[in-house]
Amino acid sequence: MTVVARAAVLEDVGRPVVVRELELIEPRAGEVRVRMLASGVCHSDLHVRDGEWDRPTPIVMGHEGAGLVEAVGQGVTTPRIGDLVALSWLIPCGVCRWCRRGQVWACPDSPSYRHALLDGETSFRGVRSYCAIATMSSHSVVPAAAAITLPPATDPAVAALIGCCVTTGVGAVLKTAAVPAGRSVAVIGLGGVGLSCVMGAVLAGASRIVAIDRVATKLDVARSVGATDTVLATDDAAATIAALRELTDGGPDYVFEAIGLPATVELAIAALPVGGTAVLVGMTPVGDRAGFEVYRFVDGAKRILGSNYGSAEPSIDFPRYATWSIEGRLPASRLIDRRIALDDIEDAFAAMRRGEYVRQVIDFD
Ligand SMILES: NC(=O)c1ccc[n+]([C@@H]2O[C@H](COP(=O)([O-])OP(=O)(O)OC[C@H]3O[C@@H](n4cnc5c(N)ncnc54)[C@H](O)[C@@H]3O)[C@@H](O)[C@H]2O)c1
Ligand SMILES: [Zn+2]
Ligand SMILES: [Zn+2]
């Protein structure tokens, strides 16, 4: 059976994404076909669309999706046909030094980064799949290892978000930084990623959670998911730092940067008290640099951590986060404030550039 997918294709960076009908290959050994139910729009998609990261084209976009498995290739036992799966944008290679010691999130040789199936074949016949999963498509053929089965009661849109922003933000707090209970936390940038850091800080038992954004409506959402305090940021970084110090007895023990701007990376580091940790989650355009004052950093025994995919082990962490969302401990559905159709993708990117909406989610019929 030949399946024709409706897919959001980036023909060339910097050009509008177009929806095209593309023929899919049949899933082969080690591959599955997923009928997509939902795909989030992450700022990483916008980085790719705008050419801020170097990615091959033409490519089917999207890396934050969930759907139902509708066909499996030879020998595939997991997942099974009918499973609700969230797609992981990082498939560990399994053999590099980081994979061998269990740090799969750090795998530099992940086949996902080739944006094709494991043997280099493309599921969309000549058009690549972003991170080998291409979630902005009605259907996608993906490596079975990327499709992680979730409890069937998981809301499909939440399942999609577990594929990127939830895992990235919650994991940055609980896994990368492993914030101990009772510490103070600040989060700069309240999109899907930053608000997931806020939810992670609640789960960690942080004493204060200060949420910062330059868009006032984001501060209200942050309070609704557990922020204890908010700061409306302006271009005056010194004022933001002063407000943060005031709220946290001299500076937050942990500052999460969830935007990806050199100025806010520098703000995160400058706001640290003695012994504080800056956790960099936001991603800048390739090549950007940031600076900090070395003497105060070393003398104050501070730390900077980079957090990729929330230090996720997707097959373990995705079902955990899904269960917490079902139990109400992780209110991930509050992140979703706009439902769109696949054809609205360029409008969604434009809204994201303006700082509108927390998480826009594409619904597939
Ligand atoms: N480390 C990882 O593994 C990983 C995974 C996913 C996404 N990311 C990155 O995380 C970042 C955030 O992603 P997102 O989808 O949540 O983005 P988003 O665009 O939805 O959210 C960014 C937020 O930052 C706010 N903001 C922008 N400039 C600001 C400023 N100067 N001061 C204060 N607030 C400001 C915006 O109003 C918005 O609320 C992106 O760079 C993305 O590429 C990293
Ligand atoms: Zn993402
Ligand atoms: Zn590896």
Side-chain angles (χ1 to χ4, degrees), residues 42 44 63-64 89 164 359:
C42 174
S44 299
H63 66 279
E64 184 177 83
W89 55 251
C164 188
R359 210 40 151 209

Side-chain angles (χ1 to χ4, degrees), residues 2-206:
T2 303
V3 170
V4 177
R6 288 196 82 235
V9 183
L10 181 67
E11 308 271 9
D12 206 354
V13 296
R15 298 226 330 248
V17 169
V18 291
V19 176
R20 279 174 50 190
E21 295 201 337
L22 297 176
E23 218 176 87
L24 268 175
I25 65 166
E26 278 295 296
R28 304 166 303 163
E31 298 167 1
V32 301
R33 186 173 68 240
V34 175
R35 179 166 70 77
M36 220 62 70
L37 295 175
S39 175
V41 183
C42 174
H43 204 113
S44 299
D45 299 308
L46 186 54
H47 286 304
V48 172
R49 148 74 175 82
D50 288 346
E52 293 176 349
W53 299 352
D54 189 23
R55 298 291 183 269
T57 52
I59 193 164
V60 176
M61 299 287 285
H63 66 279
E64 184 177 83
L68 296 173
V69 176
E70 63 172 20
V72 303
Q74 199 189 351
V76 173
T77 51
T78 317
R80 295 181 189 194
I81 289 177
D83 279 4
L84 171 68
V85 292
L87 299 175
S88 166
W89 55 251
L90 195 153
I91 306 161
C93 81
V95 293
C96 73
R97 59 191 261 212
W98 294 275
C99 282
R100 287 203 313 271
R101 63 190 185 208
Q103 296 173 325
V104 297
W105 58 87
C107 175
D109 298 323
S110 169
S112 317
Y113 298 148
R114 293 193 282 276
H115 311 285
L117 293 163
L118 302 186
D119 64 355
E121 183 65 75
T122 50
S123 358
F124 296 99
R125 301 188 193 278
V127 179
R128 289 172 192 261
S129 297
Y130 189 68
C131 285
I133 56 176
T135 62
M136 291 184 186
S137 175
S138 62
H139 302 76
S140 195
V141 170
V142 306
I148 311 298
T149 300
L150 298 186
T154 315
D155 173 341
V158 169
L161 268 45
I162 287 172
C164 188
C165 68
V166 167
T167 293
T168 296
V170 172
V173 178
L174 295 185
K175 300 192 73 179
T176 311
V179 172
R183 300 294 162 85
S184 53
V185 167
V187 180
I188 311 174
L190 305 173
V193 173
L195 286 166
S196 296
C197 291
V198 171
M199 295 190 294
V202 172
L203 290 164

Side-chain angles (χ1 to χ4, degrees), residues 272-308:
L272 295 177
V274 166
T277 303
V279 186
L280 308 186
V281 186
M283 311 266 290
T284 63
V286 173
D288 279 10
R289 305 176 76 92
F292 60 93
E293 193 186 330
V294 178
Y295 182 91
R296 285 187 189 283
F297 188 86
V298 178
D299 186 57
K302 301 173 190 182
R303 300 188 299 164
I304 303 173
L305 305 175
S307 182
N308 191 39

Side-chain angles (χ1 to χ4, degrees), residues 241 245 255 264-273 278 291-293 296-297 302:
I241 292 174
R245 292 205 172 124
V255 181
T264 42
V265 167
E266 290 174 354
L267 190 156
I269 298 166
L272 295 177
F292 60 93
E293 193 186 330
R296 285 187 189 283
F297 188 86
K302 301 173 190 182

